[in-house]
Amino acid sequence: MRKKHSLELKPIGVIHSPYKNKGNTPYQGHGTEDISEIELFKEFEEGLQDIEGFSYMMVIYWFHKSQGYHLLVGTPWDDIPHGLFTTRSPHRPCPLGLTVVELVARDKNILKVKGLDAIDGTPLLDIKPYIPDVDKRSVVKPGWLEGKLRGKRC
Amino acid sequence: MRKKHSLELKPIGVIHSPYKNKGNTPYQGHGTEDISEIELFKEFEEGLQDIEGFSYMMVIYWFHKSQGYHLLVGTPWDDIPHGLFTTRSPHRPCPLGLTVVELVARDKNILKVKGLDAIDGTPLLDIKPYIPDVDKRSVVKPGWLEGKLRGKRC
């Protein structure tokens, strides 16, 4: 049982967004020009030094409205259910959200970003730089999602 | 203080890798052909249904060897320190690791993957499909890391 013990996290900030509930949240920020604000708590501000040089960041957050999960899930993009770990459903054993976002502007500890699909008030857990050499993969099979996302919103 | 309360996670599996400590771990799996095994605990196996259709996955894990952090950090790729959130240092307020990995094979609840840079025994937190339409960004400024990573290992 050792490997199943609980781990503890504390948020490092909070996300302010135009999305008040899941219903009007775009899938992975896909196809939206909406701006969200990432508020990093003041005590972490120094950790943003040099971030203006990056076009994109990977944001990890806590799906605070998530409750429970199913291992097979239905989605808006297919008629049959698929394995949870082949979807980006917010209902997961570890309710961690992940989105690649565009950095639009920074004002001290506040980052304005485009393409973030988190609900207003979402706890922020981490920010990582998007590094094309390691994060961008060019020849990929997108599984059952092939061709289903273009131009669609959830 | 409400927004700073603790959040609790339980691992969903464990990572078996050739890397016994940080010293021989490749940076984000960059430039390696090494194979690691992701063991998803049996009770979550059904959530892998259809994952064979995806070339790449995004793996989130717990930096279990991480202790403390600094907001400005030195790296092997530059002479000056940079903001923590512009690096992929394992020493972070929320010690969450993230790597895009190639799925090589699956045997029930075990995934063989290429490009994972986690130490042997690392707790697994989540697996998400890599979806080019939302995760791949083509025109990017890679900040202070520009040109520094190619062909190098940490």
Side-chain angles (χ1 to χ4, degrees):
Chain A
M1 292 301 290
R2 181 190 57 81
K3 58 189 176 182
K4 295 188 184 182
H5 69 272
S6 292
L7 308 171
E8 194 180 289
L9 289 173
K10 287 189 181 179
I12 61 169
V14 63
I15 294 168
H16 306 284
S17 87
Y19 315 121
K20 301 307 173 196
N21 56 65
K22 191 189 170 205
N24 66 346
T25 304
Y27 183 84
Q28 292 288 306
H30 190 66
T32 175
E33 295 293 311
D34 295 341
I35 300 290
S36 293
E37 283 191 358
I38 296 174
E39 175 193 349
L40 191 71
F41 296 141
K42 282 299 268 185
E43 63 262 39
F44 300 113
E45 181 178 335
E46 192 177 31
L48 293 177
Q49 187 171 305
D50 305 321
I51 203 160
E52 297 87 344
F54 292 81
S55 299
Y56 295 96
M57 308 176 305
M58 303 169 97
V59 178
I60 300 178
Y61 47 93
W62 187 262
F63 285 126
H64 64 306
K65 299 288 188 186
S66 170
Q67 290 186 319
Y69 62 89
H70 297 282
L71 292 173
L72 289 180
V73 294
T75 74
W77 299 282
D78 213 348
D79 297 330
I80 57 173
H82 293 281
L84 173 59
F85 301 113
T86 73
T87 78
R88 302 290 268 264
S89 167
H91 306 293
R92 320 178 75 80
C94 293
L96 301 173
L98 167 65
T99 310
V100 180
V101 305
E102 180 181 352
L103 178 59
V104 176
R106 174 188 170 193
D107 180 16
K108 297 176 181 168
N109 63 319
I110 308 288
L111 302 174
K112 287 186 192 294
V113 303
K114 194 185 289 185
L116 185 51
D117 57 343
I119 294 173
D120 190 47
T122 293
L124 174 71
L125 299 179
D126 202 6
I127 296 171
K128 298 180 189 291
Y130 181 89
I131 306 168
D133 280 350
V134 296
D135 297 318
K136 179 183 163 188
R137 302 300 168 100
S138 289
V139 182
V140 296
K141 293 181 296 176
W144 63 269
L145 278 160
E146 184 157 16
K148 294 189 189 296
L149 283 186
R150 291 204 172 85
K152 293 188 182 175
R153 287 175 69 127
C154 171
Chain B
M1 291 301 289
R2 181 189 57 79
K3 57 190 176 182
K4 294 188 186 184
H5 68 273
S6 292
L7 307 171
E8 193 180 291
L9 288 174
K10 288 191 179 176
I12 61 169
V14 64
I15 294 167
H16 307 283
S17 87
Y19 316 121
K20 302 306 175 197
N21 56 64
K22 190 186 169 203
N24 66 347
T25 305
Y27 183 84
Q28 293 288 306
H30 190 64
T32 175
E33 295 292 310
D34 294 342
I35 301 288
S36 292
E37 284 191 356
I38 297 175
E39 175 193 350
L40 191 71
F41 296 141
K42 282 299 270 185
E43 63 261 40
F44 300 113
E45 182 178 333
E46 190 177 32
L48 293 177
Q49 186 171 304
D50 305 320
I51 204 161
E52 297 87 345
F54 292 81
S55 299
Y56 295 97
M57 308 175 305
M58 305 171 95
V59 178
I60 301 179
Y61 46 95
W62 186 262
F63 285 126
H64 63 305
K65 300 288 189 186
S66 170
Q67 290 186 320
Y69 63 89
H70 297 282
L71 292 173
L72 289 178
V73 294
T75 73
W77 299 281
D78 213 348
D79 298 330
I80 57 172
H82 294 280
L84 174 59
F85 301 113
T86 73
T87 79
R88 301 288 271 260
S89 168
H91 307 292
R92 321 179 72 82
C94 293
L96 300 174
L98 167 65
T99 309
V100 180
V101 305
E102 180 181 349
L103 178 60
V104 176
R106 173 187 169 193
D107 180 16
K108 296 177 182 167
N109 62 319
I110 308 288
L111 302 174
K112 286 186 192 297
V113 302
K114 195 184 287 183
L116 185 52
D117 57 345
I119 293 173
D120 191 47
T122 293
L124 173 70
L125 299 179
D126 203 6
I127 296 172
K128 297 179 189 290
Y130 181 87
I131 306 169
D133 280 350
V134 297
D135 297 318
K136 178 182 163 190
R137 300 301 168 100
S138 290
V139 182
V140 296
K141 294 182 295 176
W144 65 267
L145 278 159
E146 185 157 16
K148 294 190 190 296
L149 282 188
R150 293 208 170 81
K152 293 188 182 173
R153 287 175 67 127
C154 173

